[in-house]
Amino acid sequence: MDKALFEYLLRLGDDSLVLAQRLCEWSSRAPTLEVDLSLSNLGLDLVGQAQLLLGYAGEVEGQGRDEDRLAYHRDAEEYRNCLLVEQPNGDFAQTMARHFLFSIYRELLLDELVGSSDTRLAEIAAKAVKETRYHAELASDWVIRLGDGTEESHRRMQDGLDWFWRFVDEMFAVDEVERVLIERGIAVDPAVTREAFDARVTQVVKSATLEVKPSTWPQTGGRQGNHTEHLSTMLAEMQVLPRRYPEATW
Amino acid sequence: MAATTSISEELRNRIQEVLANVPDPEIPVVSVVDLGIFRGIVEDDTGNAVVQITPTYTGCPATLVIEQSIREALANAGLSGVKLDTVLSPAWTTDMISEEGRDKLRDYGIAPPPKGSAATSVRHSTAVQCPRCGSKDTQEVSRFGSTPCKALWRCCNCAEPFDRFKCH
Ligand SMILES: [Zn+2]
């Protein structure tokens, strides 16, 4: 088995899956009906991407685990998502701050992965990047609308961004697993997208009359399975049915 | 495609005819052929015909229903030996919707994506025409509508809301 590729696909797939689950927690609770629809639809795109990525991961592993098996029957320490996506939703501004930072990171990454030497991964990236571009635009629009809105929305948007900055560096960190794949032309060195990320984020944040305040205390560990306690609580809810009733079908 | 194949022209035509009558589960006025979900017919190692389809959106819940409907339609036409395969590449774009499909969407009340708009962003999009009265005095209400492929718009002329096919 190609252990490094399996790990890498889990990282990409788990980012999608965990963020999708978080977004769907907004269902029926969003500020307006239109926002409710959009958050669930963003989640749906991400579930679709997770299916493709985890499905491929299962094939690479070759142990007979499909995407559902990987989603429902792994514990938190086996998840490889970054810490940013597992953080609780907070208020709407905080959710948008998270989605804004993640989608821009992810769009730039997928844009590069389209050129991956792994054909299957390149195809998935080509499909997903278009959806992700839509996400990045939607989130950017909300950052501007809330930042350049009322005194209260401005404060909340700034708070949201300030909170999530501590999780940004982890998305661009490279460990041994990725280094090997980068050399093989399969993975992308996220460092090549960092400059573009900073530029785009700064541009939006400025037009939102907000400030970029990078964290002096970056949090990492998700890629190695060291998660915040929020992930296990979230997975408990997501996994309870297939674990309690393994043969359950709709 | 001039490659040697044991799939007869007749079989190809029959399969295409069946598929042209398989509706999209969410927008039943258009078929899977109109929408460009149907990619083509290829031959597998054993000489069987394989219908290739492509998902519109990765998370589109209709994908499974579409597969099922195609299998059923083929079986009903006595073509149960035909296989089905999902391909991702090249990724689906709204440019793959046929002219006929665009007309059907418009008649149904959904503003179709203009040809060639696949790569453009949702922002700064060109004027969207109201599918009811034809006015271009329209505005976006919500970037996401009732399904992942549609956005919600309204017409400032006839005051009616309408769905717009998202450009992808
Ligand atoms: Zn009108």
Side-chain angles (χ1 to χ4, degrees):
Chain A
M1 171 191 42
D2 191 335
K3 186 98 176 50
L5 179 58
F6 174 65
E7 278 285 318
Y8 190 57
L9 291 168
L10 286 185
R11 291 175 183 188
L12 294 170
D14 288 345
D15 277 358
S16 307
L17 178 63
V18 169
L19 186 56
Q21 181 71 11
R22 277 283 179 243
L23 287 169
C24 292
E25 288 172 7
W26 273 104
S27 199
S28 81
R29 291 176 175 83
T32 69
L33 184 61
E34 287 75 17
V35 173
D36 209 286
L37 279 172
S38 60
L39 292 173
S40 297
N41 273 300
L42 297 178
L44 203 55
D45 283 345
L46 289 164
V47 168
Q49 295 170 17
Q51 266 177 339
L52 294 174
L53 291 161
L54 294 180
Y56 184 27
E59 285 175 37
V60 169
E61 188 195 29
Q63 300 289 318
R65 292 202 281 183
D66 65 3
E67 62 270 29
D68 286 343
R69 187 80 210 168
L70 286 170
Y72 294 128
H73 296 272
R74 277 182 303 148
D75 292 329
E77 66 270 20
E78 296 165 89
Y79 266 72
R80 293 291 179 264
N81 58 277
C82 60
L83 298 177
L84 179 126
V85 293
E86 73 196 37
Q87 299 309 307
N89 287 332
D91 61 15
F92 178 63
Q94 197 164 317
T95 292
M96 277 302 128
R98 183 184 61 201
H99 208 70
F100 167 65
L101 296 170
F102 178 77
S103 301
I104 292 181
Y105 148 76
R106 180 81 163 205
E107 184 193 326
L108 294 166
L109 183 77
L110 291 171
D111 254 334
E112 296 291 325
L113 279 176
V114 169
S116 169
S117 63
D118 184 288
T119 319
R120 175 95 166 259
L121 183 55
E123 284 182 6
I124 297 174
K127 185 83 197 147
V129 72
K130 298 193 297 170
E131 296 165 354
T132 310
R133 193 162 288 135
Y134 211 78
H135 290 206
E137 285 191 356
L138 182 130
S140 300
D141 285 354
W142 273 111
V143 168
I144 294 169
R145 196 160 154 191
L146 294 173
D148 196 12
T150 65
E151 205 175 301
E152 186 182 356
S153 71
H154 177 91
R155 175 181 57 77
R156 286 180 183 239
M157 197 62 241
Q158 185 69 60
D159 285 351
L161 284 172
D162 291 351
W163 163 253
F164 276 113
W165 266 113
R166 73 200 65 191
F167 302 107
V168 167
D169 283 355
E170 185 190 23
M171 299 193 289
F172 296 92
V174 172
D175 65 358
E176 204 39 46
V177 171
E178 289 187 28
R179 206 175 305 283
V180 171
L181 292 175
I182 291 166
E183 276 163 23
R184 288 164 59 195
I186 293 174
V188 171
D189 184 351
V192 306
T193 64
R194 183 64 197 257
E195 207 176 310
F197 173 87
D198 285 338
R200 262 179 72 181
V201 165
T202 306
Q203 191 220 331
V204 172
V205 168
K206 283 222 170 101
S207 45
T209 71
L210 297 163
E211 276 174 77
V212 176
K213 295 186 228 164
S215 170
T216 51
W217 191 38
Q219 306 290 299
T220 58
R223 300 292 187 213
Q224 289 75 37
N226 301 318
H227 294 279
T228 55
E229 83 253 31
H230 307 296
L231 182 65
S232 13
T233 325
M234 195 201 91
L235 290 181
E237 191 186 332
M238 187 182 95
Q239 297 176 333
V240 64
L241 197 108
R243 287 198 177 201
R244 179 68 186 79
Y245 305 99
E247 306 300 325
T249 54
W250 288 109
Chain B
M1 270 180 258
T4 42
T5 170
S6 57
I7 306 171
S8 69
E9 200 55 35
E10 190 205 339
L11 178 59
R12 265 176 205 284
N13 291 340
R14 272 181 67 204
I15 294 173
Q16 296 216 18
E17 204 181 297
V18 169
L19 294 176
N21 287 302
V22 175
D24 176 77
E26 281 170 347
I27 316 169
V29 289
V30 284
S31 75
V32 297
V33 175
D34 293 327
L35 277 182
I37 292 171
F38 166 63
R39 259 302 150 70
I41 301 166
V42 294
E43 190 182 350
D44 70 5
D45 304 338
T46 54
N48 280 317
V50 180
V51 167
Q52 291 185 321
I53 56 171
T54 194
T56 50
Y57 291 82
T58 55
C60 183
T63 309
L64 277 177
V65 183
I66 290 171
E67 280 177 29
Q68 236 164 22
S69 328
I70 293 178
R71 275 183 221 285
E72 256 170 52
L74 288 169
N76 288 341
L79 296 167
S80 42
V82 176
K83 294 189 177 145
L84 200 57
D85 187 27
T86 303
V87 292
L88 285 182
S89 182
W92 182 85
T93 78
T94 40
D95 260 359
M96 293 172 184
I97 303 175
S98 68
E99 268 322 307
E100 201 185 333
R102 281 164 215 273
D103 291 343
K104 287 180 186 171
L105 285 172
R106 196 178 299 108
D107 292 345
Y108 190 60
I110 298 172
K115 205 71 172 161
S117 61
T120 61
S121 134
V122 282
R123 293 209 198 109
H124 325 293
S125 50
T126 49
V128 176
Q129 209 172 10
C130 168
R132 288 168 209 280
C133 72
S135 167
K136 285 190 171 167
D137 186 9
T138 56
Q139 57 183 217
E140 182 187 88
V141 178
S142 172
R143 189 150 307 167
F144 285 94
S146 50
T147 66
C149 60
K150 285 175 281 172
L152 191 61
W153 279 62
R154 85 173 136 230
C155 175
C156 306
N157 181 49
C158 72
E160 287 290 330
F162 64 91
D163 277 334
R164 181 197 182 198
F165 220 95
K166 282 182 350 199
C167 300
H168 244 253

